Amino acid sequence: EVESGISKAEVHAKQAKKLQRRFTLSSKAADAVDAICDVFAADMRQQIRKEAKSIFDTLIWKDSQFQDISISDDYHLEVLDRWGLPARRELSAGERQVLSLAFISGMSKVTGEEAPLVMDTPFGRLSSQHRENIATYIPEITKQLVLLITDEELHSTARANLEPRIGTEYELVFDQSTGCSSIRSVR
């Protein structure tokens, strides 16, 4: 009986040892995969940061005021001023819009993924210089761009920059008598 108990205990010990080896191996494999993912994510963030900074520098008119862009591990964007201090809170609404556009464009370039870019009132908060820069650059970002703009939002040089690239243009016409808007093809 004792010998049988010892044999059973040895079998259980072998099984436990085998399970422990499997557990150790799978833990090491999971740690290796996590490390690879961390390196990949850090590399992607760095590439996106470089692209976003390049685009931000192209679009912003106060380029000497801003030194760099940083992206945290959780993809929080920060702009650093010429002294290396965080400056995001001091950005105007238009500059924050330019930063967002630079980040989205940077991600698109780095990943190689194409998607339509839809922007509602993209020029509403922008100074004329930002408007001109974006109107020049924005058609290069994506193959399909949908802009929802007001009649006062896009004029002068910005309109002229986009004109050759406008494929289809529509206008919303409000009917006072019915209280509804209809869509009219402009081109």
Side-chain angles (χ1 to χ4, degrees), residues 1 12 17-18 35 50 60-61 92 95 112 130 150 153 160-161 168 180:
E1 222 176 272
H12 286 298
K17 200 173 192 178
K18 189 176 183 180
K50 283 181 182 177
I60 203 80
W61 66 270
S92 69
E95 290 166 338
H130 285 136
T150 66
E153 202 176 340
N161 287 342
T168 306
C180 295

Side-chain angles (χ1 to χ4, degrees), residues 7-184:
S7 292
K8 286 181 183 178
E10 287 175 349
V11 168
H12 286 298
K14 285 180 184 179
Q15 288 175 340
K17 200 173 192 178
K18 189 176 183 180
L19 288 173
Q20 182 60 43
R21 277 195 311 262
R22 286 183 181 171
F23 175 76
T24 302
L25 181 60
S26 62
S27 292
K28 286 181 180 180
D31 290 345
V33 169
D34 286 345
I36 291 168
C37 284
D38 289 346
V39 169
F40 178 75
D43 182 54
M44 291 301 287
R45 273 192 306 278
Q46 183 62 13
Q47 288 180 47
I48 292 168
R49 186 202 65 76
K50 283 181 182 177
E51 284 295 332
K53 182 185 179 336
S54 173
I55 295 164
F56 185 74
D57 290 347
T58 300
L59 298 178
I60 203 80
W61 66 270
K62 292 191 268 182
D63 55 346
S64 64
Q65 178 63 25
F66 306 111
Q67 173 185 323
D68 205 356
I69 291 175
S70 68
I71 302 175
S72 69
D73 290 350
D74 63 350
Y75 288 86
H76 174 77
L77 280 173
E78 184 59 75
V79 175
L80 304 176
D81 65 15
R82 62 178 137 189
W83 298 282
L85 299 172
R88 189 163 184 229
R89 288 184 175 172
E90 287 80 36
L91 296 179
S92 69
E95 290 166 338
R96 283 193 303 273
Q97 185 174 336
V98 168
L99 178 62
S100 295
L101 181 59
F103 178 67
I104 290 166
S105 301
M107 282 194 312
S108 178
K109 277 186 160 187
V110 169
T111 63
E113 294 294 323
E114 288 189 24
L117 181 59
V118 179
M119 299 176 74
D120 188 6
T121 60
F123 305 107
R125 292 183 234 136
L126 299 178
S127 66
S128 60
Q129 185 64 49
H130 285 136
R131 184 181 308 117
E132 303 304 320
N133 289 348
I134 288 177
T136 300
Y137 175 77
I138 205 165
E140 305 301 322
I141 295 172
T142 182
K143 290 183 180 181
Q144 185 177 12
L145 175 64
V146 177
L147 299 176
L148 306 170
I149 58 173
T150 66
D151 56 347
E152 294 297 316
E153 202 176 340
L154 189 63
H155 45 78
S156 71
T157 311
R159 173 75 185 197
N161 287 342
L162 289 174
E163 195 73 37
R165 295 194 165 112
I166 297 174
T168 306
E169 185 175 359
Y170 299 98
E171 179 180 41
L172 295 177
V173 181
F174 182 72
D175 184 341
Q176 290 282 355
S177 63
T178 64
C180 295
S181 293
S182 59
I183 301 171
R184 181 175 69 89

